[in-house]
Amino acid sequence: MAAALELALDAGDFEAAYGVLIAVRFGKTVVTPWLEALIVRCYRCEVSKVRGLSCELAVLSDLALVRDVHVKSDWVASTDRNSGNETWFASILLIEACIKKEISLSEMLRRVTPESWFVAANRIDEALRKPLADYILRRLRGGVFALKGLSRPALDYTLSPVEHSSYTLRSVDEADLNESRFTPQDSFENLFREDDFDEKQKRLRTNSEAFFTQLSDSDARIFVERLTIEDVALLIHQEPSFLIQVVEIFEEVSRSELAWLRNLALSAANLLSGDMPERAASLIHKAVESKGFVSYDLGDSLTLEHKAVWSCQPSTAIIQYWRRRILSCGNDESLAMEVLAAERFGAKGFIKDFVGELSDSTLPLDKAYAITIAGFSSQIDELVSVIDAHIDDVGITGVAAKKAKADHQAMTWATKWVSELCSAQTPEQFWRSLIILKTCLDARGAAEPLKDTEWAHYGPLYQRVRESSIKEINKARKKTLVGQEVPDPIFLAG
């Protein structure tokens, strides 16, 4: 490996060098002193992905030489415009140096990405955790103060986890800043204009780079990084007064400022829900209503918002908010998403109780909601009786029951064929099961059922089939609400 890497570097062929580093990374190659010296050369090159992989190898193989060169460099995350892979592992490498007493805590914190602070909090000595918590608190307060001179970008960012890695991928799109209750009409020119893909990507990249340049020396940069509920909980563990301090800040800021703080506010409200449920419910409502521009993808179109809302400690105030959230969904796609989130993040009991409550109502619309929610639930055995009781009805409940029965049967069918897929004895049985699943699999179906089976190598294919099936099902659900044609937004409460 070392000889191949040296040839590539001497020839200036960094694509070939990257390929060798990939082989070293996933081939579990023992890094010799010669190979480590070559990895240092890779670290110093001008190609971001090569530098990033060099830092990753230095972290995984504890390469002291690479780490020493990195510590002595002028690299700082706040001024880095390169890939998430490079920024992340360059930060982790500095954290490793801090753990080994090769760099001070203050210097490490100054240089790493805010997203990695919480990795540091989990790994550094107990004695350093309190100073770290104090530092993060100061940066948060500084970030809130810095918002006074900033406006939200006309961009939306989605932070997604990267498979087999701990860093996140940041994708960007143009934001829809229309706040009208009515759908805006396109101009005659826009109806027939096709936006060139390359032109759009170039525009997005230019605008995003300008935005992050604006944030390069600002404490507000922390608000566009991935900070999870677990991260905030860790901070509260080190500094118990932090929660109430940030909640007070969130309650006082303007709506435009809360757009930056939205994810942190949702996390704080979630953690507050056990001790101060009314205050938590109010803050969740305020945060959800703010038009944030950074979302955290948790898979199956679920986000941090869904997790923060549906993993709250249940109470009268929180349950009232949950009820309003369910009943304000604008179509069946949104309604199914909320039911999925509730059952995935810990509110399964609420869904079952709410279906029972609505089904006991004398109002046909309430019954239709009960039936539809039952059809979208994964608790098929417990709730199918609610659907069956109205299958022969005439009117809104009958339409809802027939649609919900089809969703219930699809879930039953998908469960059966996922099991058949995993236990297939021949390729023919496997492919038959996969083809059938393409017609009935929604987000309730297992995401990685093949992981520990002899068909595990087809896992990515199953993922694509599942995603395609979910997309088709959601396309149909977007057109209905409780089985009826979806009304115009103007007629929906919410």
Side-chain angles (χ1 to χ4, degrees), residues 410-426:
M411 174 64 181
T412 304
W413 199 242
T415 302
K416 166 185 166 55
W417 287 104
V418 166
S419 176
E420 293 282 337
L421 186 77
C422 295
S423 60
Q425 299 298 311
T426 65

Side-chain angles (χ1 to χ4, degrees), residues 396-453:
I396 188 172
T397 54
V399 172
K402 291 177 177 63
K403 181 69 172 61
K405 189 67 174 180
D407 287 318
H408 165 262
Q409 289 173 338
M411 174 64 181
T412 304
W413 199 242
T415 302
K416 166 185 166 55
W417 287 104
V418 166
S419 176
E420 293 282 337
L421 186 77
C422 295
S423 60
Q425 299 298 311
T426 65
E428 290 77 12
Q429 292 176 354
F430 177 85
W431 293 112
R432 178 190 63 183
S433 301
L434 192 63
I435 291 169
I436 293 173
L437 280 170
K438 176 67 173 66
T439 67
C440 58
L441 194 60
D442 67 11
R444 291 174 290 184
E448 296 182 333
L450 301 177
K451 192 172 183 179
D452 297 317
T453 72

